[in-house]
Amino acid sequence: MSTHSGGSPSDDEIGREQEYVSMLYQRLDDLREQASRRLTAQLRATGGTLQARSQRDSAVRMYAEQVEQFSAVENGLCFGRLDTDRGERHYIGRIGIFDTDGDYEPLLMDWRAPAARAFYLATAANPQGIRRRRHLRTRQRKVVAVNDEVLDLATASPTAHEELTGEASLLAALNAGRTGQMRDIVETIQVEQDRIIRADLPGVLVVQGGPGTGKTAVALHRAAYLLYTHRRELSTRGVLLVGPNLTFLRYISQVLPALAETGVLLRTQGDLFPGVNARRAEAATTAALKGRSVMVEVLTNAVRDRQQVPDEPMEIELPQRELLALDPHIVRTARDRARRGGRPHNLARATFDIEIIHALAGQVADRIGADPLGGENLLEEADLAEIRRELGEEPQVRAALDELWPLLTPQRLLAELYASTDRIATAGPQLTGEEQAALHREAGGWTPADVPLLDEAAELLGEDDRAAAARRERIRAVQREYAEGVLEIARGSRSIDVEDEAEGGEILGVTDLIDADRLLDRQEETDRLTTAQRAAADRGWAFGHVIVDEAQELSPMAWRLLMRRCPSRSMTLVGDVAQTGALAGTPSWADALAPYVADRWRLTELTVSYRTPAEIMAVAAGVLAEIDPTLRPPRAVRSSGVAPQTRVVPAARLAAELVEVATAEAASLTDGRLGVIVPAGRVDDIGTALTRALPEAAVGEQPDLGSRVVVLTVPEAKGLEFDSVILVDPDRIVAESPRGRSDLYVALTRATQHLTTLTPTP
């Protein structure tokens, strides 16, 4: 047994805790005020708006982040206290606060600090030097409840759950109404969660956990912990967190700021290629095809197909009406030599150009430098070099080169591949006719499944950055000229003949200490974007750590993309293979990771479901057994006391019955949220019926999760939770997807309290 209650603290004791918490909030206000004053002073000194300057001025950005962090931790600043065997008291909170007036003693210990770990791990069997653990529950800045756990094995309560710490606080949090945004679990982290959160940084850590086990919360708290523990390393490389959809990212968006971390880059798969926001929907079978590893070969063929050899000699007419001819043999030789270099397509173009221009220059030289007596060509090497230079600048020659070996962007390559059935057939001979037809489409937006293909294409094409480098140098030249002008003004305003009375020497001015290039370098050091901003704009950015939620949904092509983003293979992958909904998703962690790290990865499991009540989990367990009899459902730690309801209604009355049930259920939720999970094919008609009766209901793409009633499909509901769930037409949900049982398992486990299923009769 872990602990036993130490009794209800007296009003006087609660009052003393209130005094201490109030003191902490006063210190927080002082820290925020100091950061705010420094921010204001810096803005006045540098000019401009906060938004503009925070992107360029590191000091402005630092002070702005401090103000934001101190505001974000306002709710629940202090949530615990540890009393040690030595009579010491340590208060635990979201950030560390120190007594700067004395000897810098900690007034509040950051929950991530090593000394704070006992708050989550200490039990009566292993107290770790702790005599009592106290949980403080606050509302705004007021202490509203205090729960004590005395870590005494001899007197531990026989009714306590051995695997739970802070059971009273945990159950209070689990039973609280949902708000439409995910809460952090910093006050109630359990032992198995803490071990994962604080696991070592290097390598790939896989967190397998069933519904309601806190996978997402663990991933987010791990991000905060790693940034705290490895700040120097990760602050420069950054942390990337990938979620399944934008609705999910909005749902979790406040967790990391509440943990005093604002530097993590949150993205969906559709946002992982700079400049592209992939939102277009497509058939599940098409997305699955694009996710298969065979697409590497298809894209490789598509690139090689753009390196053309004409069937007949290609004529190039120069301005003087001189005709040059490119024989197919010459083009083939140039193409083969460029390919043998092993460079990406766009970078190999330089070799191709040289070969072609040399061949054309030879034709010109033969005409104008031929010896009338039949001897060797009369032109010297310098003459030939000039001919090559002139040919390289001829528009007709450049056009011919672009036709035979075009410089391509990933977007152009993929768009032109999709638009041409001939190109698809040439690039994908290993695909069936049906699969080739699935890839064909006219112009339109990108889908999430296109993003890994764009990234793969970028690897195959390469980027010829010579033009960009030349552009950067031109910009720097203009900036250098401006810097020289600034220094010239400073030089002109300086008193040249002023002498130092003591030394008799000239007083040094700014122009004696700095030149234009050094001034420019200093300005560039100041004008830096944040790590997250730079990483978001740079496809080649190598992150210090990558966290993926719902990782079981990643296709083989998506895995390739993410591994390129993290060459160090420092990753945290959380998911549940039983909930895999995507056709190209992960069948097993070993299969997904073997190509990249072989067997050098660690598997941890979350086995306790905190969200899903036992009554609902019993229903979901039956579906899980149909998915895979070897899988075990997580063990629920609580019961709601309400058995799931199933209503069978005539199909013609399904929408009307749903409106009645939803109206009654929404009325019973005083501060919670109702989720209505429906088949994808019924979103429109059910959404229309519900919003007519309940105008506050949110329907459609990226619905407002703050609404009291939200209508979603299963993919949209992944990772979310609601106090009450109405599941509509489960048979159709199963029929709509080849992984329908997994979708049903997801839908059944979104509720924290009540579940109602509406099933139409045939």
Side-chain angles (χ1 to χ4, degrees), residues 477-750:
V478 173
Q479 293 173 334
R480 185 185 297 110
E481 183 179 352
Y482 177 79
E484 289 172 348
V486 170
L487 292 177
E488 186 62 33
I489 293 173
R491 190 178 296 113
S493 63
R494 175 182 164 197
S495 298
I496 299 177
D497 297 327
V498 176
E499 294 185 353
D500 186 289
E501 293 182 359
E503 301 295 335
E506 187 175 307
I507 296 176
L508 294 177
V510 64
T511 56
D512 298 305
L513 302 174
I514 193 170
D515 58 17
D517 281 315
R518 187 173 297 178
L519 178 62
L520 189 57
D521 289 338
R522 287 189 177 183
Q523 181 64 24
E524 288 178 347
E525 288 177 3
T526 300
D527 293 355
R528 288 177 177 170
L529 300 175
T530 65
T531 298
Q533 289 168 333
R534 285 183 288 139
D538 185 355
R539 193 194 70 84
W541 189 271
F543 287 92
H545 194 76
V546 170
I547 298 174
V548 185
D549 202 347
E550 303 290 350
Q552 76 278 357
E553 302 298 336
L554 294 181
S555 68
M557 294 302 295
W559 282 114
R560 289 175 64 88
L561 180 154
L562 283 176
M563 292 298 172
R564 280 193 287 268
R565 298 293 190 272
C566 192
S568 66
R569 304 294 190 260
S570 179
M571 310 177 84
T572 301
L573 311 171
V574 301
D576 179 11
V577 291
Q579 298 184 61
T580 304
L583 286 178
T586 300
S588 76
W589 300 118
D591 291 346
L593 297 174
Y596 309 103
V597 293
D599 59 354
R600 299 184 304 277
W601 55 280
R602 298 165 287 162
L603 175 66
T604 60
E605 292 192 64
L606 293 169
T607 61
V608 179
S609 178
Y610 306 98
R611 175 182 67 219
T612 311
E615 296 85 352
I616 297 176
M617 187 56 70
V619 176
V623 177
L624 180 63
E626 296 178 13
I627 298 171
D628 186 345
T630 65
L631 296 176
R632 291 185 178 182
R635 179 166 46 87
V637 300
R638 66 191 177 95
S639 298
S640 66
V642 180
Q645 291 185 324
T646 299
R647 297 193 180 192
V648 180
V649 299
R653 273 197 45 79
L654 182 63
E657 185 76 13
L658 172 61
V659 168
E660 294 177 12
V661 175
T663 302
E665 194 69 30
S668 69
L669 295 174
T670 55
D671 60 351
R673 297 294 182 271
L674 169 64
V676 181
I677 301 179
V678 302
R682 298 216 58 179
V683 171
D684 292 339
D685 66 309
I686 286 178
T688 299
L690 266 182
T691 52
R692 191 178 294 123
L694 298 169
E696 72 270 30
V699 186
E701 188 177 356
Q702 302 176 38
D704 180 7
L705 297 179
S707 301
R708 199 157 54 104
V709 181
V710 184
V711 181
L712 311 102
T713 63
V714 175
E716 293 169 340
K718 280 206 167 183
L720 308 183
E721 60 184 22
F722 301 89
D723 299 86
S724 183
V725 166
I726 300 175
L727 177 58
V728 180
D729 201 349
D731 291 339
R732 183 164 177 176
I733 287 177
V734 172
E736 280 185 343
S737 169
R739 296 187 185 270
R741 289 291 172 189
S742 295
D743 285 350
L744 181 59
Y745 184 57
V746 171
L748 288 170
T749 53
R750 298 305 97 194

Side-chain angles (χ1 to χ4, degrees), residues 146-159:
V146 174
N147 299 110
D148 282 346
E149 294 175 283
V150 178
L151 307 184
D152 184 352
L153 187 61
T155 57
S157 170
T159 61

